[in-house]
Amino acid sequence: MEQVICGASAFELYRIPPQVTLLFPQFPCFSTRRQRRAISQSNDLDPWLKLPIHTLCSDPSIRTRSSAIRDHVWSGDLPRAAIWENNDIGVRYTSPLMTLLTLAPLIPAHRLTMATYELCGSFAVYTPSKEVQHELDSLRDQRLTWEGGWRQVYDHAGKATSLWHREPLITLHELRRFCEASKGMRGHRQLSQAARAITGITASPLEVQASMLLSLPRRLGGEGLGPILNNHPIPLNRDARILAGRSTCYADILFPENNTRPAIDIELQGHMIHDGGRAGGIDSNRMLGLKHMGVEVIMVTAEQLYDPARLHRLSAHLSSLLGIRRKAKSPRMEAAERNLRCELFSDWGQLAR
């Protein structure tokens, strides 16, 4: 097997926007001992990747034994289309699905779920250097379009953020099919567990945090509320279209209606996108249109998710609306919640490390 980047290193490559790669120097080779020694001594891979580089290795006897490389032995057959090649930068790396499979045994379960949400979602987290950001700001004025729909999110004050929007790299159908096909392979059990926790296509870390806090079973630290859908379309009737100024609304998190209650739409108010007068006006019009349709709309802020006491109040309110009777959490459930919160609110930029 030729050298193939995998795991945390491949995940980091998938986070680099194409407009950023154009500004980087050539990706350095690391196939020879001299090249690996140079990388370990001077970190020539900066700004591409952090060290060590995670690579696949077909036999323990051919490990590189370099501090710059961390080999992962994969002696069996690889899943179909497991390896991708990027001719633009001259590297071979695992596909998004294979990247998750090679990550699965190496990072905590909740972080694997978060990484799966990101690759299945319409967002990525990447922080450019000051020099690169200056160039990106210049490119922004040219209103260029990039392959994969990549674009950086700017906050209400016009400041660049670490949040990027792009097309999803994995569909939910592909994820579930891959989990079936990878039975018996290392990492299958962990990835299958993560796949079962995915509730839909999310557009930001805040949506992932809210989805996991609300929908994960209580034994895993969540509130056990659901089922939920992410960014689900709600077609509006004539009057609602006039009120909302649009024909369709997309619920950040939707509890679908049933025979006993209307649908409940959780709208997340983060600092990056929803702040500012114009965004607030759009949200108010949309909320009025949804309420006219009989949809219960609840606005939730990032602070309400970050504060355990406020989240518990929100959970109790949602339980009442959903007709769910709740018991107090056991000490084990409370410990699981603390563990979940510790992972969810850690540095998202270091997710795979």
Side-chain angles (χ1 to χ4, degrees):
M1 181 190 299
E2 295 181 32
Q3 229 155 18
V4 175
I5 296 174
C6 70
S9 299
F11 185 82
E12 288 165 358
L13 282 177
Y14 284 117
R15 285 181 149 183
I16 305 176
Q19 51 267 59
V20 172
T21 63
L22 292 177
L23 304 173
F24 281 178
Q26 183 177 357
F27 195 96
C29 296
F30 57 95
S31 57
T32 69
R33 182 176 298 178
R34 177 178 294 179
Q35 290 167 342
R36 291 191 291 271
R37 185 184 301 115
I39 288 174
S40 63
Q41 291 175 350
S42 60
N43 194 10
D44 289 341
L45 268 175
D46 185 59
W48 285 99
L49 293 174
K50 300 179 181 67
L51 295 181
I53 312 167
H54 293 256
T55 63
L56 283 183
C57 174
S58 59
D59 192 308
S61 64
I62 60 174
R63 284 178 170 172
T64 56
R65 305 186 188 281
S66 167
S67 61
I69 307 294
R70 181 170 297 172
D71 290 310
H72 301 271
V73 177
W74 190 282
S75 55
D77 293 334
L78 289 170
R80 182 172 173 270
I83 308 300
W84 286 11
E85 188 159 0
N86 188 324
N87 293 321
D88 293 335
I89 61 176
V91 297
R92 301 177 75 233
Y93 50 98
T94 50
S95 68
L97 285 164
M98 188 65 186
T99 296
L100 290 174
L101 188 63
T102 54
L103 264 180
L106 306 175
I107 61 175
H110 291 318
R111 287 192 175 226
L112 178 63
T113 301
M114 294 156 68
T116 305
Y117 262 116
E118 182 170 327
L119 295 189
C120 290
S122 59
F123 75 97
V125 175
Y126 178 79
T127 305
S129 66
K130 290 183 179 180
E131 295 76 16
V132 169
Q133 186 59 60
H134 178 74
E135 296 293 333
L136 291 173
D137 291 339
S138 300
L139 290 174
R140 185 192 183 202
D141 297 335
Q142 300 178 29
R143 300 185 180 278
L144 302 172
T145 57
W146 299 92
E147 183 180 359
W150 282 85
R151 64 180 179 85
Q152 191 171 18
V153 174
Y154 287 73
D155 66 16
H156 67 286
K159 183 180 179 181
T161 72
S162 60
L163 179 64
W164 295 72
H165 283 165
R166 51 143 176 77
E167 297 168 4
L169 303 182
I170 302 169
T171 68
L172 298 182
H173 174 70
E174 289 171 338
L175 174 64
R176 289 163 186 145
R177 188 173 59 185
F178 183 82
C179 287
E180 285 293 319
S182 62
K183 284 183 178 178
M185 297 181 183
R186 186 174 183 235
H188 167 265
R189 179 182 58 81
Q190 297 95 323
L191 182 57
S192 296
Q193 180 180 332
R196 288 192 294 270
I198 304 298
T199 54
I201 306 302
T202 54
S204 70
L206 184 64
E207 291 183 15
V208 176
Q209 291 162 343
S211 298
M212 292 179 68
L213 284 169
L214 294 176
S215 71
L216 281 179
R218 301 177 95 196
R219 62 181 175 80
L220 297 179
E223 296 300 313
L225 302 175
I228 64 173
L229 302 170
N230 297 97
N231 290 294
H232 188 73
I234 304 176
L236 303 182
N237 60 28
R238 179 178 178 276
D239 290 341
R241 287 199 299 269
I242 295 173
L243 291 168
R246 62 183 71 188
S247 60
T248 304
C249 288
Y250 290 83
D252 288 344
I253 295 176
L254 182 72
F255 292 87
E257 66 177 322
N258 58 27
N259 295 331
T260 61
R261 58 162 178 79
I264 301 172
D265 173 16
I266 304 294
E267 288 298 316
L268 298 167
Q269 301 296 290
H271 298 301
M272 290 184 181
I273 303 173
H274 292 284
D275 282 354
R278 182 174 178 273
I282 292 173
D283 284 343
S284 297
N285 292 330
R286 180 175 59 179
M287 182 165 59
L288 188 58
L290 290 170
K291 284 183 175 292
H292 184 80
M293 293 276 294
V295 178
E296 179 76 29
V297 181
I298 299 176
M299 313 297 280
V300 175
T301 65
E303 288 78 11
Q304 287 172 318
L305 299 177
Y306 299 158
D307 185 335
R310 297 175 75 178
L311 176 68
H312 294 160
R313 295 290 184 185
L314 171 63
S315 176
H317 179 60
L318 285 173
S319 297
S320 176
L321 293 175
L322 295 168
I324 299 174
R325 300 184 66 178
R326 312 298 300 277
K327 294 181 179 180
K329 286 187 174 182
S330 67
R332 182 172 294 182
M333 290 177 179
E334 291 175 346
E337 180 185 348
R338 289 192 295 271
N339 178 60
L340 172 62
R341 297 183 70 86
C342 181
E343 299 293 358
L344 281 178
F345 300 123
S346 59
D347 182 0
W348 197 283
Q350 300 296 320
L351 189 58
R353 289 284 176 174

